[in-house]
Amino acid sequence: MSASLEQLDYLETAYRSDKPIAERAVYPMGLWEGLMRQGTPLPLTQPSEKVSTTAIADMTPSEYRKVNQDPKNKHNDFFWTETKLSQEKLSGWTSIYLNLSGLAKIMCLFLLPFSYVVIFFLAFSSQYFSFSDLIDFYLILTFYFLLPCSVIWGQFELMNRGYFTLWFLKAKKHYELNRKTGMVTLYKGNGKPRFSHPFHEFDCILTSSPTPQGLMNYGLFLVHRYNGYSFGVPLQSLMPGSPLVAEYHYLWNMIQAYMDVTSPMPDILVLEEARERDPTTREFDAKGLRGTALNMSGETAANKGDLLKNPRGSHFWRNMSDEDFEQILKTIAKSQ
């Protein structure tokens, strides 16, 4: 990969693992950063083709094709492209709204129908209830309970089907890692940048803490080396919690491979279509090197037949069935 940055269409700030890093004075650490740095630091290294199979297991080929063919996704804008890796965060109102919607659904389906029936029988079996009282109770239940609950539940169903989302429930951008510029940006709750710095100025910290069940809960954060920020970039949001600490090391390797413009992007499903649009990755694939670094035993490769042939084709992941995808991830996990 000897081409210049200009030829590769990357900015001067893009991260290069072969470029010396100019260190500068470290800002005094705050309490949060001091606690964070009590975790295990993971160094910047020359990235390999190892991937976190836990992080990429949720996006199956069938799910990818469904999203890719969705007319609402006109630009095929996945969260991970040849330019940026971005994550969004739900609004703080979301949990309150979900609980309220669940309560409204229960009210509409069970509690209110039951109340209508009970009041109906009371009106005809009690001397203290008249027909006008029945109408008054029905009006109260309808206008003050049934209609509001129906609106809340109905809006939730529309949002769940992708038709209408209230402005305060829309997800906000949480952080972004940009391959082309080499910048890491963390955003505030209102979607405005909190800070933005070059990738090489961050330390990756692996944290661990025991759960009430006695298992280990891991976290992976990017902490800025030179400022005493009380915020870090939570890379563990890229995958569901895993009890295997090795998966977090593999995730860090994937992040480094993605940000390092001297290396091809990680060979994963969500990035497969973007490989031809990234200059370094396209050059790597053109040389027939894709997938050749995978250490596979002869018996395993023979059992998988053409699925694990090297080099991999341009649609290696996208043309795969979900069943084969699951088996391939298991095979890769064992071989790493």
Side-chain angles (χ1 to χ4, degrees), residues 276-334:
E276 64 181 15
R277 299 193 295 268
D278 179 74
T280 305
T281 309
R282 182 172 61 247
E283 181 183 345
F284 179 84
D285 292 351
K287 293 179 179 179
L289 298 175
R290 184 183 176 193
T292 56
L294 185 61
N295 182 20
M296 198 73 60
S297 68
E299 180 181 357
T300 302
N303 290 339
K304 293 302 172 187
D306 291 338
L307 283 176
L308 290 174
K309 64 182 179 181
N310 293 319
R312 296 175 179 175
S314 61
H315 287 64
F316 174 78
W317 294 111
R318 285 172 284 174
N319 287 346
M320 196 176 292
S321 68
D322 289 355
E323 293 73 19
D324 286 337
F325 179 74
E326 182 180 355
Q327 291 300 316
I328 292 298
L329 290 190
K330 290 180 180 179
T331 303
I332 291 175
K334 291 179 181 179

Short mmCIF file of all heavy atoms in Angstrom, two decimals, residues 276-334:
data_model
loop_
_atom_site.label_atom_id
_atom_site.label_comp_id
_atom_site.label_asym_id
_atom_site.label_seq_id
_atom_site.Cartn_x
_atom_site.Cartn_y
_atom_site.Cartn_z
N GLU A 276 -15.31 -2.15 -2.46
CA GLU A 276 -14.86 -1.65 -3.76
C GLU A 276 -14.80 -0.13 -3.81
O GLU A 276 -14.20 0.44 -4.73
CB GLU A 276 -15.78 -2.17 -4.86
CG GLU A 276 -17.21 -1.67 -4.75
CD GLU A 276 -18.10 -2.22 -5.85
OE1 GLU A 276 -17.68 -3.18 -6.52
OE2 GLU A 276 -19.21 -1.69 -6.02
N ARG A 277 -15.40 0.54 -2.83
CA ARG A 277 -15.39 2.01 -2.81
C ARG A 277 -14.26 2.57 -1.95
O ARG A 277 -14.05 3.78 -1.92
CB ARG A 277 -16.75 2.54 -2.32
CG ARG A 277 -17.91 2.15 -3.20
CD ARG A 277 -19.15 2.95 -2.86
NE ARG A 277 -19.65 2.66 -1.52
CZ ARG A 277 -20.55 1.73 -1.24
NH1 ARG A 277 -21.07 0.99 -2.21
NH2 ARG A 277 -20.97 1.53 0.00
N ASP A 278 -13.58 1.69 -1.22
CA ASP A 278 -12.44 2.13 -0.42
C ASP A 278 -11.16 1.80 -1.17
O ASP A 278 -10.91 0.62 -1.48
CB ASP A 278 -12.45 1.43 0.95
CG ASP A 278 -11.27 1.85 1.80
OD1 ASP A 278 -11.29 2.99 2.30
OD2 ASP A 278 -10.32 1.05 1.94
N PRO A 279 -10.32 2.79 -1.48
CA PRO A 279 -9.15 2.55 -2.33
C PRO A 279 -8.20 1.47 -1.82
O PRO A 279 -7.78 0.60 -2.58
CB PRO A 279 -8.47 3.92 -2.38
CG PRO A 279 -9.57 4.89 -2.11
CD PRO A 279 -10.49 4.21 -1.15
N THR A 280 -7.84 1.53 -0.54
CA THR A 280 -6.90 0.55 0.01
C THR A 280 -7.48 -0.85 -0.03
O THR A 280 -6.80 -1.82 -0.41
CB THR A 280 -6.53 0.91 1.46
OG1 THR A 280 -6.03 2.25 1.51
CG2 THR A 280 -5.48 -0.03 2.01
N THR A 281 -8.73 -0.98 0.34
CA THR A 281 -9.39 -2.29 0.35
C THR A 281 -9.55 -2.82 -1.07
O THR A 281 -9.37 -4.02 -1.32
CB THR A 281 -10.75 -2.19 1.05
OG1 THR A 281 -10.60 -1.55 2.32
CG2 THR A 281 -11.36 -3.56 1.25
N ARG A 282 -9.91 -1.93 -1.99
CA ARG A 282 -10.08 -2.36 -3.38
C ARG A 282 -8.75 -2.88 -3.96
O ARG A 282 -8.72 -3.89 -4.66
CB ARG A 282 -10.59 -1.17 -4.21
CG ARG A 282 -10.84 -1.52 -5.67
CD ARG A 282 -11.51 -0.39 -6.42
NE ARG A 282 -10.73 0.83 -6.44
CZ ARG A 282 -11.08 1.95 -5.82
NH1 ARG A 282 -12.20 2.02 -5.13
NH2 ARG A 282 -10.31 3.02 -5.88
N GLU A 283 -7.67 -2.21 -3.64
CA GLU A 283 -6.36 -2.66 -4.10
C GLU A 283 -5.98 -4.01 -3.49
O GLU A 283 -5.44 -4.89 -4.16
CB GLU A 283 -5.30 -1.61 -3.73
CG GLU A 283 -3.90 -1.95 -4.19
CD GLU A 283 -2.89 -0.92 -3.73
OE1 GLU A 283 -3.30 0.19 -3.33
OE2 GLU A 283 -1.68 -1.22 -3.76
N PHE A 284 -6.30 -4.17 -2.22
CA PHE A 284 -6.03 -5.43 -1.52
C PHE A 284 -6.80 -6.58 -2.16
O PHE A 284 -6.24 -7.66 -2.41
CB PHE A 284 -6.43 -5.26 -0.05
CG PHE A 284 -6.23 -6.48 0.81
CD1 PHE A 284 -4.99 -6.76 1.37
CD2 PHE A 284 -7.29 -7.34 1.09
CE1 PHE A 284 -4.81 -7.87 2.17
CE2 PHE A 284 -7.12 -8.45 1.88
CZ PHE A 284 -5.88 -8.72 2.43
N ASP A 285 -8.08 -6.36 -2.43
CA ASP A 285 -8.91 -7.41 -3.03
C ASP A 285 -8.47 -7.72 -4.46
O ASP A 285 -8.53 -8.88 -4.91
CB ASP A 285 -10.38 -6.98 -3.02
CG ASP A 285 -10.96 -6.92 -1.62
OD1 ASP A 285 -10.28 -7.37 -0.67
OD2 ASP A 285 -12.09 -6.43 -1.47
N ALA A 286 -8.03 -6.69 -5.19
CA ALA A 286 -7.61 -6.89 -6.58
C ALA A 286 -6.39 -7.80 -6.67
O ALA A 286 -6.19 -8.48 -7.69
CB ALA A 286 -7.32 -5.55 -7.24
N LYS A 287 -5.61 -7.83 -5.61
CA LYS A 287 -4.42 -8.69 -5.58
C LYS A 287 -4.76 -10.14 -5.19
O LYS A 287 -3.88 -10.99 -5.11
CB LYS A 287 -3.40 -8.13 -4.60
CG LYS A 287 -2.80 -6.80 -5.03
CD LYS A 287 -1.80 -6.30 -4.01
CE LYS A 287 -1.17 -4.98 -4.45
NZ LYS A 287 -0.20 -4.46 -3.43
N GLY A 288 -6.06 -10.40 -4.93
CA GLY A 288 -6.48 -11.75 -4.57
C GLY A 288 -6.09 -12.15 -3.16
O GLY A 288 -5.93 -13.34 -2.87
N LEU A 289 -5.96 -11.16 -2.26
CA LEU A 289 -5.51 -11.45 -0.89
C LEU A 289 -6.66 -11.59 0.09
O LEU A 289 -6.43 -11.93 1.25
CB LEU A 289 -4.58 -10.31 -0.42
CG LEU A 289 -3.29 -10.12 -1.23
CD1 LEU A 289 -2.53 -8.90 -0.73
CD2 LEU A 289 -2.43 -11.37 -1.14
N ARG A 290 -7.87 -11.32 -0.34
CA ARG A 290 -8.99 -11.33 0.59
C ARG A 290 -9.24 -12.74 1.14
O ARG A 290 -9.46 -13.68 0.39
CB ARG A 290 -10.26 -10.82 -0.11
CG ARG A 290 -11.44 -10.72 0.83
CD ARG A 290 -12.69 -10.27 0.10
NE ARG A 290 -13.83 -10.28 0.99
CZ ARG A 290 -15.09 -10.19 0.62
NH1 ARG A 290 -15.37 -10.05 -0.68
NH2 ARG A 290 -16.06 -10.21 1.50
N GLY A 291 -9.23 -12.86 2.46
CA GLY A 291 -9.52 -14.12 3.12
C GLY A 291 -8.36 -15.08 3.20
O GLY A 291 -8.47 -16.13 3.84
N THR A 292 -7.22 -14.76 2.60
CA THR A 292 -6.10 -15.71 2.57
C THR A 292 -5.40 -15.83 3.92
O THR A 292 -4.69 -16.80 4.16
CB THR A 292 -5.07 -15.29 1.51
OG1 THR A 292 -4.65 -13.94 1.79
CG2 THR A 292 -5.68 -15.34 0.12
N ALA A 293 -5.61 -14.82 4.81
CA ALA A 293 -4.95 -14.87 6.11
C ALA A 293 -5.70 -15.72 7.12
O ALA A 293 -5.22 -15.95 8.22
CB ALA A 293 -4.78 -13.45 6.67
N LEU A 294 -6.90 -16.19 6.76
CA LEU A 294 -7.68 -17.01 7.68
C LEU A 294 -7.02 -18.36 7.88
O LEU A 294 -6.82 -19.12 6.93
CB LEU A 294 -9.10 -17.21 7.13
CG LEU A 294 -10.09 -17.94 8.04
CD1 LEU A 294 -10.30 -17.16 9.33
CD2 LEU A 294 -11.41 -18.15 7.33
N ASN A 295 -6.65 -18.66 9.10
CA ASN A 295 -5.96 -19.90 9.42
C ASN A 295 -6.97 -21.02 9.59
O ASN A 295 -7.59 -21.18 10.63
CB ASN A 295 -5.13 -19.71 10.70
CG ASN A 295 -4.34 -20.96 11.06
OD1 ASN A 295 -4.11 -21.82 10.19
ND2 ASN A 295 -3.95 -21.06 12.32
N MET A 296 -7.16 -21.81 8.55
CA MET A 296 -8.19 -22.84 8.55
C MET A 296 -7.54 -24.21 8.39
O MET A 296 -6.69 -24.40 7.52
CB MET A 296 -9.17 -22.60 7.40
CG MET A 296 -10.49 -23.33 7.56
SD MET A 296 -11.50 -22.56 8.82
CE MET A 296 -11.68 -20.92 8.14
N SER A 297 -7.94 -25.13 9.23
CA SER A 297 -7.40 -26.48 9.08
C SER A 297 -7.94 -27.11 7.80
O SER A 297 -9.01 -26.75 7.31
CB SER A 297 -7.82 -27.33 10.29
OG SER A 297 -9.21 -27.57 10.27
N GLY A 298 -7.17 -28.06 7.26
CA GLY A 298 -7.58 -28.70 6.01
C GLY A 298 -8.90 -29.41 6.14
O GLY A 298 -9.75 -29.36 5.24
N GLU A 299 -9.14 -30.05 7.27
CA GLU A 299 -10.39 -30.79 7.47
C GLU A 299 -11.58 -29.84 7.52
O GLU A 299 -12.61 -30.07 6.91
CB GLU A 299 -10.32 -31.59 8.77
CG GLU A 299 -11.58 -32.39 9.06
CD GLU A 299 -11.47 -33.13 10.38
OE1 GLU A 299 -10.40 -33.07 11.02
OE2 GLU A 299 -12.48 -33.77 10.77
N THR A 300 -11.41 -28.69 8.23
CA THR A 300 -12.49 -27.72 8.34
C THR A 300 -12.82 -27.12 6.99
O THR A 300 -13.97 -26.99 6.59
CB THR A 300 -12.12 -26.60 9.33
OG1 THR A 300 -11.84 -27.18 10.59
CG2 THR A 300 -13.25 -25.61 9.48
N ALA A 301 -11.78 -26.73 6.24
CA ALA A 301 -11.99 -26.13 4.94
C ALA A 301 -12.66 -27.11 3.99
O ALA A 301 -13.53 -26.74 3.20
CB ALA A 301 -10.65 -25.67 4.36
N ALA A 302 -12.29 -28.38 4.05
CA ALA A 302 -12.87 -29.39 3.17
C ALA A 302 -14.35 -29.58 3.47
O ALA A 302 -15.17 -29.74 2.57
CB ALA A 302 -12.12 -30.71 3.32
N ASN A 303 -14.70 -29.53 4.76
CA ASN A 303 -16.10 -29.71 5.15
C ASN A 303 -16.96 -28.55 4.67
O ASN A 303 -18.15 -28.72 4.40
CB ASN A 303 -16.21 -29.83 6.68
CG ASN A 303 -15.63 -31.13 7.19
OD1 ASN A 303 -15.51 -32.10 6.44
ND2 ASN A 303 -15.25 -31.16 8.46
N LYS A 304 -16.38 -27.37 4.55
CA LYS A 304 -17.13 -26.20 4.13
C LYS A 304 -17.14 -26.01 2.62
O LYS A 304 -17.84 -25.15 2.11
CB LYS A 304 -16.58 -24.93 4.82
CG LYS A 304 -16.82 -24.94 6.32
CD LYS A 304 -18.29 -25.06 6.63
CE LYS A 304 -18.53 -25.28 8.12
NZ LYS A 304 -19.93 -25.56 8.40
N GLY A 305 -16.35 -26.77 1.91
CA GLY A 305 -16.35 -26.71 0.45
C GLY A 305 -16.02 -25.34 -0.07
O GLY A 305 -15.08 -24.68 0.37
N ASP A 306 -16.82 -24.86 -1.04
CA ASP A 306 -16.54 -23.59 -1.71
C ASP A 306 -16.78 -22.37 -0.84
O ASP A 306 -16.36 -21.28 -1.18
CB ASP A 306 -17.40 -23.47 -2.98
CG ASP A 306 -16.98 -24.45 -4.06
OD1 ASP A 306 -15.81 -24.90 -4.00
OD2 ASP A 306 -17.80 -24.76 -4.93
N LEU A 307 -17.48 -22.55 0.29
CA LEU A 307 -17.79 -21.39 1.13
C LEU A 307 -16.53 -20.72 1.66
O LEU A 307 -16.51 -19.51 1.89
CB LEU A 307 -18.68 -21.81 2.30
CG LEU A 307 -20.16 -22.05 1.97
CD1 LEU A 307 -20.89 -22.54 3.20
CD2 LEU A 307 -20.80 -20.77 1.46
N LEU A 308 -15.49 -21.51 1.90
CA LEU A 308 -14.27 -20.95 2.46
C LEU A 308 -13.13 -20.92 1.46
O LEU A 308 -11.97 -20.93 1.84
CB LEU A 308 -13.87 -21.76 3.71
CG LEU A 308 -14.79 -21.56 4.91
CD1 LEU A 308 -14.43 -22.48 6.04
CD2 LEU A 308 -14.74 -20.12 5.37
N LYS A 309 -13.46 -20.90 0.20
CA LYS A 309 -12.41 -20.85 -0.81
C LYS A 309 -11.69 -19.51 -0.74
O LYS A 309 -12.27 -18.49 -0.41
CB LYS A 309 -13.00 -21.07 -2.20
CG LYS A 309 -13.97 -19.98 -2.65
CD LYS A 309 -14.54 -20.30 -4.02
CE LYS A 309 -15.54 -19.21 -4.45
NZ LYS A 309 -16.12 -19.52 -5.77
N ASN A 310 -10.41 -19.53 -1.05
CA ASN A 310 -9.61 -18.32 -1.06
C ASN A 310 -9.08 -18.07 -2.46
O ASN A 310 -8.66 -19.01 -3.14
CB ASN A 310 -8.43 -18.46 -0.08
CG ASN A 310 -8.91 -18.51 1.36
OD1 ASN A 310 -9.81 -17.79 1.74
ND2 ASN A 310 -8.30 -19.38 2.15
N PRO A 311 -9.05 -16.83 -2.94
CA PRO A 311 -9.59 -15.67 -2.25
C PRO A 311 -11.11 -15.62 -2.30
O PRO A 311 -11.72 -16.25 -3.15
CB PRO A 311 -8.98 -14.50 -3.02
CG PRO A 311 -8.83 -15.04 -4.41
CD PRO A 311 -8.46 -16.48 -4.24
N ARG A 312 -11.67 -14.84 -1.42
CA ARG A 312 -13.13 -14.71 -1.37
C ARG A 312 -13.64 -13.88 -2.53
O ARG A 312 -13.00 -12.93 -2.96
CB ARG A 312 -13.56 -14.07 -0.05
CG ARG A 312 -13.23 -14.92 1.18
CD ARG A 312 -13.57 -14.17 2.46
NE ARG A 312 -13.28 -14.99 3.63
CZ ARG A 312 -13.40 -14.56 4.88
NH1 ARG A 312 -13.79 -13.32 5.11
NH2 ARG A 312 -13.12 -15.36 5.89
N GLY A 313 -14.85 -14.22 -3.00
CA GLY A 313 -15.48 -13.45 -4.07
C GLY A 313 -16.06 -12.15 -3.54
O GLY A 313 -16.15 -11.93 -2.32
N SER A 314 -16.49 -11.29 -4.45
CA SER A 314 -17.00 -9.98 -4.07
C SER A 314 -18.32 -10.06 -3.31
O SER A 314 -18.69 -9.12 -2.61
CB SER A 314 -17.18 -9.11 -5.31
OG SER A 314 -18.11 -9.70 -6.21
N HIS A 315 -19.06 -11.19 -3.47
CA HIS A 315 -20.33 -11.37 -2.77
C HIS A 315 -20.26 -12.55 -1.80
O HIS A 315 -21.23 -13.26 -1.58
CB HIS A 315 -21.46 -11.60 -3.78
CG HIS A 315 -21.86 -10.37 -4.52
ND1 HIS A 315 -21.03 -9.71 -5.38
CD2 HIS A 315 -23.03 -9.68 -4.53
CE1 HIS A 315 -21.65 -8.66 -5.90
NE2 HIS A 315 -22.87 -8.61 -5.39
N PHE A 316 -19.10 -12.73 -1.21
CA PHE A 316 -18.89 -13.87 -0.31
C PHE A 316 -19.95 -13.92 0.79
O PHE A 316 -20.57 -14.96 1.02
CB PHE A 316 -17.49 -13.77 0.31
CG PHE A 316 -17.20 -14.80 1.37
CD1 PHE A 316 -16.88 -16.10 1.04
CD2 PHE A 316 -17.26 -14.46 2.72
CE1 PHE A 316 -16.62 -17.05 2.01
CE2 PHE A 316 -17.00 -15.40 3.70
CZ PHE A 316 -16.67 -16.70 3.35
N TRP A 317 -20.17 -12.80 1.48
CA TRP A 317 -21.12 -12.76 2.58
C TRP A 317 -22.56 -12.57 2.10
O TRP A 317 -23.48 -13.19 2.61
CB TRP A 317 -20.77 -11.62 3.55
CG TRP A 317 -19.47 -11.77 4.26
CD1 TRP A 317 -18.34 -11.03 4.09
CD2 TRP A 317 -19.16 -12.71 5.31
NE1 TRP A 317 -17.34 -11.45 4.93
CE2 TRP A 317 -17.82 -12.48 5.70
CE3 TRP A 317 -19.87 -13.73 5.94
CZ2 TRP A 317 -17.19 -13.21 6.69
CZ3 TRP A 317 -19.25 -14.47 6.94
CH2 TRP A 317 -17.92 -14.21 7.30
N ARG A 318 -22.74 -11.72 1.10
CA ARG A 318 -24.09 -11.31 0.71
C ARG A 318 -24.90 -12.44 0.06
O ARG A 318 -26.13 -12.46 0.16
CB ARG A 318 -24.02 -10.11 -0.24
CG ARG A 318 -23.68 -8.81 0.45
CD ARG A 318 -23.44 -7.69 -0.55
NE ARG A 318 -22.14 -7.81 -1.20
CZ ARG A 318 -21.73 -7.04 -2.19
NH1 ARG A 318 -22.56 -6.12 -2.68
NH2 ARG A 318 -20.53 -7.19 -2.72
N ASN A 319 -24.24 -13.37 -0.59
CA ASN A 319 -24.95 -14.47 -1.25
C ASN A 319 -25.12 -15.69 -0.35
O ASN A 319 -25.63 -16.72 -0.78
CB ASN A 319 -24.22 -14.89 -2.52
CG ASN A 319 -24.38 -13.86 -3.63
OD1 ASN A 319 -25.23 -12.98 -3.54
ND2 ASN A 319 -23.58 -13.97 -4.67
N MET A 320 -24.72 -15.58 0.88
CA MET A 320 -24.73 -16.71 1.81
C MET A 320 -26.10 -16.87 2.46
O MET A 320 -26.82 -15.91 2.69
CB MET A 320 -23.65 -16.47 2.88
CG MET A 320 -23.26 -17.67 3.69
SD MET A 320 -21.90 -17.24 4.84
CE MET A 320 -20.55 -16.96 3.69
N SER A 321 -26.46 -18.09 2.75
CA SER A 321 -27.69 -18.33 3.52
C SER A 321 -27.42 -18.06 4.99
O SER A 321 -26.26 -18.06 5.44
CB SER A 321 -28.16 -19.78 3.34
OG SER A 321 -27.25 -20.68 3.95
N ASP A 322 -28.47 -17.84 5.76
CA ASP A 322 -28.30 -17.59 7.19
C ASP A 322 -27.68 -18.78 7.90
O ASP A 322 -26.89 -18.62 8.84
CB ASP A 322 -29.65 -17.25 7.83
CG ASP A 322 -30.16 -15.88 7.41
OD1 ASP A 322 -29.42 -15.16 6.70
OD2 ASP A 322 -31.30 -15.53 7.80
N GLU A 323 -28.04 -19.99 7.47
CA GLU A 323 -27.50 -21.19 8.08
C GLU A 323 -26.00 -21.30 7.83
O GLU A 323 -25.21 -21.59 8.76
CB GLU A 323 -28.21 -22.44 7.55
CG GLU A 323 -29.67 -22.56 7.94
CD GLU A 323 -30.58 -21.59 7.20
OE1 GLU A 323 -30.14 -21.07 6.14
OE2 GLU A 323 -31.70 -21.33 7.69
N ASP A 324 -25.57 -21.04 6.59
CA ASP A 324 -24.14 -21.08 6.28
C ASP A 324 -23.40 -19.96 7.01
O ASP A 324 -22.27 -20.15 7.47
CB ASP A 324 -23.92 -20.95 4.78
CG ASP A 324 -24.28 -22.22 4.02
OD1 ASP A 324 -24.28 -23.30 4.65
OD2 ASP A 324 -24.58 -22.13 2.81
N PHE A 325 -24.05 -18.81 7.11
CA PHE A 325 -23.45 -17.66 7.80
C PHE A 325 -23.14 -18.03 9.25
O PHE A 325 -22.05 -17.75 9.77
CB PHE A 325 -24.41 -16.48 7.73
CG PHE A 325 -23.93 -15.24 8.43
CD1 PHE A 325 -22.93 -14.45 7.88
CD2 PHE A 325 -24.49 -14.84 9.64
CE1 PHE A 325 -22.49 -13.30 8.52
CE2 PHE A 325 -24.07 -13.69 10.28
CZ PHE A 325 -23.06 -12.92 9.72
N GLU A 326 -24.10 -18.65 9.91
CA GLU A 326 -23.91 -19.05 11.30
C GLU A 326 -22.78 -20.06 11.44
O GLU A 326 -21.94 -19.95 12.35
CB GLU A 326 -25.21 -19.63 11.85
CG GLU A 326 -25.13 -20.04 13.31
CD GLU A 326 -26.45 -20.61 13.82
OE1 GLU A 326 -27.44 -20.59 13.06
OE2 GLU A 326 -26.48 -21.08 14.97
N GLN A 327 -22.72 -21.02 10.53
CA GLN A 327 -21.67 -22.03 10.59
C GLN A 327 -20.30 -21.43 10.30
O GLN A 327 -19.30 -21.79 10.94
CB GLN A 327 -21.96 -23.16 9.61
CG GLN A 327 -23.16 -24.02 10.00
CD GLN A 327 -22.98 -24.67 11.36
OE1 GLN A 327 -21.90 -25.19 11.66
NE2 GLN A 327 -24.03 -24.64 12.17
N ILE A 328 -20.23 -20.51 9.34
CA ILE A 328 -18.96 -19.88 9.01
C ILE A 328 -18.43 -19.07 10.19
O ILE A 328 -17.23 -19.09 10.49
CB ILE A 328 -19.10 -18.97 7.77
CG1 ILE A 328 -19.36 -19.82 6.52
CG2 ILE A 328 -17.86 -18.11 7.57
CD1 ILE A 328 -18.27 -20.77 6.18
N LEU A 329 -19.32 -18.36 10.88
CA LEU A 329 -18.88 -17.58 12.05
C LEU A 329 -18.34 -18.50 13.14
O LEU A 329 -17.33 -18.17 13.80
CB LEU A 329 -20.04 -16.74 12.59
CG LEU A 329 -20.52 -15.56 11.74
CD1 LEU A 329 -21.50 -14.71 12.51
CD2 LEU A 329 -19.35 -14.72 11.25
N LYS A 330 -18.97 -19.64 13.33
CA LYS A 330 -18.47 -20.59 14.32
C LYS A 330 -17.09 -21.11 13.93
O LYS A 330 -16.20 -21.27 14.76
CB LYS A 330 -19.45 -21.77 14.47
CG LYS A 330 -20.76 -21.40 15.14
CD LYS A 330 -21.68 -22.62 15.25
CE LYS A 330 -22.99 -22.26 15.92
NZ LYS A 330 -23.91 -23.43 16.01
N THR A 331 -16.93 -21.37 12.63
CA THR A 331 -15.64 -21.86 12.14
C THR A 331 -14.55 -20.80 12.30
O THR A 331 -13.44 -21.10 12.73
CB THR A 331 -15.77 -22.25 10.65
OG1 THR A 331 -16.78 -23.23 10.51
CG2 THR A 331 -14.45 -22.82 10.14
N ILE A 332 -14.88 -19.55 11.98
CA ILE A 332 -13.91 -18.46 12.13
C ILE A 332 -13.53 -18.27 13.59
O ILE A 332 -12.35 -18.08 13.92
CB ILE A 332 -14.48 -17.16 11.54
CG1 ILE A 332 -14.60 -17.27 10.02
CG2 ILE A 332 -13.61 -15.96 11.91
CD1 ILE A 332 -15.25 -16.08 9.35
N ALA A 333 -14.53 -18.35 14.49
CA ALA A 333 -14.27 -18.17 15.91
C ALA A 333 -13.29 -19.23 16.43
O ALA A 333 -12.42 -18.94 17.26
CB ALA A 333 -15.58 -18.23 16.69
N LYS A 334 -13.42 -20.45 15.94
CA LYS A 334 -12.53 -21.53 16.38
C LYS A 334 -11.14 -21.38 15.81
O LYS A 334 -10.16 -21.84 16.41
CB LYS A 334 -13.13 -22.87 15.98
CG LYS A 334 -14.40 -23.25 16.74
CD LYS A 334 -14.93 -24.60 16.25
CE LYS A 334 -16.21 -24.97 16.98
NZ LYS A 334 -16.75 -26.26 16.49
#
